[in-house]
Amino acid sequence: MSESLGSGAPLPPQTTLRHRLAELRGPAAVPHPLDARALAALAANPGCRRRALLDGAGVDKAALASKLGSPAAFGQSQFAFMRGNAFEAKVKADGGRELLRLLGIEEPGTVRLPDLAAAGPEGRAARTALALREATAAGQWALLDHPMLALEVAGSPAYLEPDAVVVHPDGRWTVVEIKSFPMIDGAADASKVGAAARQAAVYVLALERVAALTEGAEVAHSVLLVCPKDFSNLPTASVVDVRKQLSVTRRQLTRLTRVEDIAAVLPEGVTFDVETCSAEELASAVESVPHAYAPECLSACELAFHCRERARLAGAVEALGRSVRGELGGLTTIGDVLAAARGEDGDAEDPTVDALRRAQALRTEALACR
């Protein structure tokens, strides 16, 4: 019997995975990059296989959500984007003079500014690693502007680009995050600082991989957050400890199911090709992947409104929040909860059912007294 075209030697696992992911997002679709903000959100909800697969395959979730009729209602405005770029340009002007001043370096001429240009993200990541090793071996200050770092997430590579990384003469590497929100009287909005810390923790995690292969290198677990001072455009800085965020991010990312394992159990022919598939076909493809919706997703995932609608239609208690879900134990739908509270269903010896019935009795008593 003659050999078929597919009967040759099997493809290497990584090649096979890349081919499978390309099929999932559509052969003509350009992979959507997985950035640090997306990784931080993914780490915050590691149980969501849907997001892990879509991000790993490079699917444009914003375009997918729009095609499904549930477009994302969040994102950075064009004005905020331009303001952020203008502030970053000011901080890095004249060879990073303002940034180096914040580090206590008054003479920029003593600082190495390596050229990180290379072809493609893989090339830039390799060039960044080489520049970090060279700067560490030289024992000099070095400022890496927009370096490229690589991190494997659920078996799929992600390329990350922090605003800057500073190499100290003693071999320490510090991540620099430049944000356009103000720091008033030495303090910034806690929620925004927290989001920046979670994002920076992803960069620190990626840097640790390079430092592990570089003699004398050590990654600082505190990052330099640079913001406008008060209501001016003058840069100021604050050191932010990200050890807690780093620990959480490392633990959560290791919990993610590998992308190939998720893809292996999908029905035959499933694709998320926004250009060629109808809304009905895309909805069916999305529903074939389990998700873990929570209200927190609304500020972090483009598909959150679609997942919320499906969770509500199914009466899933997850739509009420993770804390509520944890308190309800084996009651997985709102219908089950209401039936248990009314005494129509549920084990009376179950502490959760007992608490619901007592709450229902108190509610009935309160309404009767109105």
Side-chain angles (χ1 to χ4, degrees), residues 4 56 81 86 110 123 161 206 248-249 264 295 342 357 362:
S4 66
F81 183 76
T110 63
E161 190 175 5
V248 171
T249 300
R342 291 192 294 258
R357 290 179 181 175
L362 290 173

mmCIF file of all heavy atoms in Angstrom, residues 4 56 81 86 110 123 161 206 248-249 264 295 342 357 362:
data_model
loop_
_atom_site.group_PDB
_atom_site.id
_atom_site.type_symbol
_atom_site.label_atom_id
_atom_site.label_comp_id
_atom_site.label_asym_id
_atom_site.label_seq_id
_atom_site.Cartn_x
_atom_site.Cartn_y
_atom_site.Cartn_z
ATOM 1 N N SER A 4 0.497 7.495 2.456
ATOM 2 C CA SER A 4 -0.256 8.733 2.283
ATOM 3 C C SER A 4 0.607 9.911 2.682
ATOM 4 O O SER A 4 1.676 9.757 3.251
ATOM 5 C CB SER A 4 -1.524 8.704 3.148
ATOM 6 O OG SER A 4 -1.170 8.709 4.501
ATOM 7 N N GLY A 56 -4.151 31.462 24.561
ATOM 8 C CA GLY A 56 -3.048 30.647 24.073
ATOM 9 C C GLY A 56 -3.037 30.534 22.558
ATOM 10 O O GLY A 56 -1.970 30.480 21.941
ATOM 11 N N PHE A 81 -4.636 56.860 26.064
ATOM 12 C CA PHE A 81 -3.527 56.179 25.388
ATOM 13 C C PHE A 81 -2.478 57.193 24.931
ATOM 14 O O PHE A 81 -1.275 57.006 25.138
ATOM 15 C CB PHE A 81 -4.069 55.386 24.203
ATOM 16 C CG PHE A 81 -3.041 54.589 23.470
ATOM 17 C CD1 PHE A 81 -2.543 53.405 23.996
ATOM 18 C CD2 PHE A 81 -2.559 55.010 22.240
ATOM 19 C CE1 PHE A 81 -1.576 52.670 23.325
ATOM 20 C CE2 PHE A 81 -1.604 54.283 21.559
ATOM 21 C CZ PHE A 81 -1.112 53.113 22.101
ATOM 22 N N ALA A 86 2.695 60.091 25.686
ATOM 23 C CA ALA A 86 3.406 61.366 25.816
ATOM 24 C C ALA A 86 4.194 61.423 27.120
ATOM 25 O O ALA A 86 5.346 61.898 27.155
ATOM 26 C CB ALA A 86 2.411 62.524 25.741
ATOM 27 N N THR A 110 27.201 57.776 31.917
ATOM 28 C CA THR A 110 27.811 56.576 32.503
ATOM 29 C C THR A 110 26.910 55.342 32.393
ATOM 30 O O THR A 110 27.280 54.271 32.868
ATOM 31 C CB THR A 110 28.122 56.826 33.983
ATOM 32 O OG1 THR A 110 26.892 57.071 34.690
ATOM 33 C CG2 THR A 110 29.044 58.023 34.163
ATOM 34 N N GLY A 123 13.588 36.907 18.240
ATOM 35 C CA GLY A 123 14.881 37.572 18.090
ATOM 36 C C GLY A 123 15.080 38.668 19.116
ATOM 37 O O GLY A 123 16.166 38.820 19.684
ATOM 38 N N GLU A 161 6.538 42.885 27.059
ATOM 39 C CA GLU A 161 7.363 44.064 26.815
ATOM 40 C C GLU A 161 7.156 45.103 27.926
ATOM 41 O O GLU A 161 6.274 45.951 27.838
ATOM 42 C CB GLU A 161 7.002 44.671 25.456
ATOM 43 C CG GLU A 161 7.945 45.755 24.989
ATOM 44 C CD GLU A 161 7.612 46.229 23.583
ATOM 45 O OE1 GLU A 161 6.591 45.772 23.018
ATOM 46 O OE2 GLU A 161 8.352 47.062 23.065
ATOM 47 N N ALA A 206 9.031 36.678 34.360
ATOM 48 C CA ALA A 206 9.733 36.399 33.101
ATOM 49 C C ALA A 206 11.223 36.715 33.225
ATOM 50 O O ALA A 206 12.071 35.980 32.688
ATOM 51 C CB ALA A 206 9.110 37.204 31.967
ATOM 52 N N VAL A 248 1.423 34.956 44.077
ATOM 53 C CA VAL A 248 0.105 34.569 43.578
ATOM 54 C C VAL A 248 0.153 34.257 42.091
ATOM 55 O O VAL A 248 -0.387 33.249 41.620
ATOM 56 C CB VAL A 248 -0.924 35.687 43.860
ATOM 57 C CG1 VAL A 248 -2.241 35.383 43.161
ATOM 58 C CG2 VAL A 248 -1.150 35.842 45.357
ATOM 59 N N THR A 249 0.824 35.110 41.324
ATOM 60 C CA THR A 249 0.898 34.911 39.876
ATOM 61 C C THR A 249 1.612 33.620 39.526
ATOM 62 O O THR A 249 1.171 32.855 38.661
ATOM 63 C CB THR A 249 1.622 36.102 39.216
ATOM 64 O OG1 THR A 249 0.904 37.310 39.499
ATOM 65 C CG2 THR A 249 1.703 35.922 37.706
ATOM 66 N N ALA A 264 -7.275 19.251 22.992
ATOM 67 C CA ALA A 264 -7.408 17.830 22.634
ATOM 68 C C ALA A 264 -8.814 17.297 22.835
ATOM 69 O O ALA A 264 -9.208 16.322 22.183
ATOM 70 C CB ALA A 264 -6.407 17.002 23.433
ATOM 71 N N PRO A 295 -18.089 37.918 38.403
ATOM 72 C CA PRO A 295 -18.278 39.343 38.119
ATOM 73 C C PRO A 295 -16.973 40.103 37.909
ATOM 74 O O PRO A 295 -16.937 41.100 37.173
ATOM 75 C CB PRO A 295 -19.026 39.843 39.356
ATOM 76 C CG PRO A 295 -19.795 38.657 39.830
ATOM 77 C CD PRO A 295 -18.879 37.490 39.576
ATOM 78 N N ARG A 342 -37.036 27.829 50.313
ATOM 79 C CA ARG A 342 -38.490 27.712 50.512
ATOM 80 C C ARG A 342 -38.884 26.368 51.118
ATOM 81 O O ARG A 342 -40.054 26.112 51.364
ATOM 82 C CB ARG A 342 -39.208 27.920 49.182
ATOM 83 C CG ARG A 342 -39.136 29.348 48.652
ATOM 84 C CD ARG A 342 -40.098 29.550 47.500
ATOM 85 N NE ARG A 342 -39.706 28.760 46.342
ATOM 86 C CZ ARG A 342 -39.089 29.265 45.271
ATOM 87 N NH1 ARG A 342 -38.776 30.563 45.231
ATOM 88 N NH2 ARG A 342 -38.758 28.500 44.255
ATOM 89 N N ARG A 357 -32.866 28.505 54.895
ATOM 90 C CA ARG A 357 -34.246 28.456 55.395
ATOM 91 C C ARG A 357 -34.436 29.429 56.562
ATOM 92 O O ARG A 357 -35.491 30.059 56.677
ATOM 93 C CB ARG A 357 -34.596 27.028 55.799
ATOM 94 C CG ARG A 357 -34.713 26.121 54.583
ATOM 95 C CD ARG A 357 -35.044 24.693 54.924
ATOM 96 N NE ARG A 357 -35.114 23.883 53.708
ATOM 97 C CZ ARG A 357 -35.298 22.583 53.672
ATOM 98 N NH1 ARG A 357 -35.443 21.906 54.811
ATOM 99 N NH2 ARG A 357 -35.352 21.927 52.528
ATOM 100 N N LEU A 362 -36.576 34.712 58.357
ATOM 101 C CA LEU A 362 -36.349 36.078 58.835
ATOM 102 C C LEU A 362 -36.870 37.100 57.829
ATOM 103 O O LEU A 362 -37.440 38.134 58.208
ATOM 104 C CB LEU A 362 -34.855 36.301 59.088
ATOM 105 C CG LEU A 362 -34.254 35.557 60.287
ATOM 106 C CD1 LEU A 362 -32.740 35.721 60.314
ATOM 107 C CD2 LEU A 362 -34.862 36.074 61.587
#
